[in-house]
Amino acid sequence: WRLFSYASLTRDRDVPYTDWQFGAHLDYSFYPLPPLLGLTGTDFERFRAFMFRVGYNRARSIAESKGEYKEDRVVAEAWFRLAVTEQLLLSDRNRGELRKVNGVSCWRYRNRFRVERQFDIPSVKLTPHLSAEVFYDSRYVTWNRMLYSIGVEWALEWGLILETSYER
């Protein structure tokens, strides 16, 4: 079991506002993967074949931004991971969201495929990754979005993980 929380600040070129988000989630994972190059990490979930998550997210536009955005989300996720080689880890995340966006109730399904490899460097563990994600949104009754990402996770001391990425 793990309690997971996050906070983010996002500026998206497709919308006229900057928003902040935070969330809290409860994770349950099981079935350890075979050791990958003998590495261990602060994020032990990465080395489990299955993980389930439930949680809540809140997002709001920043007051100085143009336009207003409010969203509350109840999230349920299932992750499946596979060690393809001793170096590469593949994951498939299926995520369902019950949402209230600017007062309108809706739901969304997201599926993300990701490939990653961890490098153990003194005092930090780097994990470069590539991913692709598709979105189905009940407001539009269609697959309305595709998200590609490239990034690096920086596992620092005290269990802190900083994730940097470029998304399109």
Side-chain angles (χ1 to χ4, degrees):
W1 291 95
R2 171 174 80 165
L3 180 61
F4 167 78
S5 62
Y6 78 94
S8 71
L9 184 64
T10 306
R11 175 68 175 111
D12 188 331
R13 68 184 180 138
D14 295 333
V15 294
Y17 54 79
T18 300
D19 69 51
W20 59 265
Q21 289 188 34
F22 73 88
H25 306 262
L26 183 61
D27 298 346
Y28 177 73
S29 63
F30 57 98
Y31 194 72
L33 290 170
L36 302 176
L37 293 177
L39 298 176
T40 59
T42 56
D43 186 8
F44 70 93
E45 301 295 336
R46 174 172 277 111
F47 302 104
R48 305 291 179 133
F50 303 102
M51 184 181 83
F52 298 100
R53 171 179 287 168
V54 294
Y56 170 77
N57 299 342
R58 171 169 267 197
R60 299 289 188 264
S61 55
I62 294 177
E64 308 87 50
S65 299
K66 299 174 185 173
E68 184 178 27
Y69 176 75
K70 293 181 182 179
E71 181 178 352
D72 293 283
R73 243 182 260 160
V74 175
V75 175
E77 295 182 2
W79 295 59
F80 306 97
R81 292 186 180 90
L82 176 65
V84 177
T85 69
E86 288 185 347
Q87 299 176 347
L88 288 178
L89 182 63
L90 301 178
S91 61
D92 180 27
R93 182 190 74 187
N94 292 278
R95 177 176 175 152
E97 303 170 340
L98 297 176
R99 306 168 69 202
K100 191 163 209 169
V101 180
N102 293 331
V104 176
S105 294
C106 57
W107 61 272
R108 181 166 64 183
Y109 169 73
R110 300 166 61 171
N111 181 249
R112 181 181 79 186
F113 181 76
R114 177 171 158 155
V115 61
E116 62 189 70
R117 185 190 188 289
Q118 181 176 323
F119 295 92
D120 196 7
I121 298 172
S123 76
V124 66
K125 294 178 188 332
L126 298 178
T127 308
H129 58 83
L130 294 167
S131 68
E133 185 170 8
V134 293
F135 295 67
Y136 182 90
D137 195 323
S138 70
R139 293 176 298 171
Y140 310 111
V141 194
T142 189
W143 296 93
N144 69 322
R145 190 174 202 184
M146 188 78 164
L147 177 66
Y148 302 99
S149 176
I150 184 169
V152 177
E153 287 184 6
W154 310 72
L156 308 172
E157 295 180 7
W158 310 293
L160 180 66
I161 299 172
L162 176 64
E163 184 173 339
T164 57
S165 63
Y166 173 76
E167 297 178 342
R168 179 147 171 91

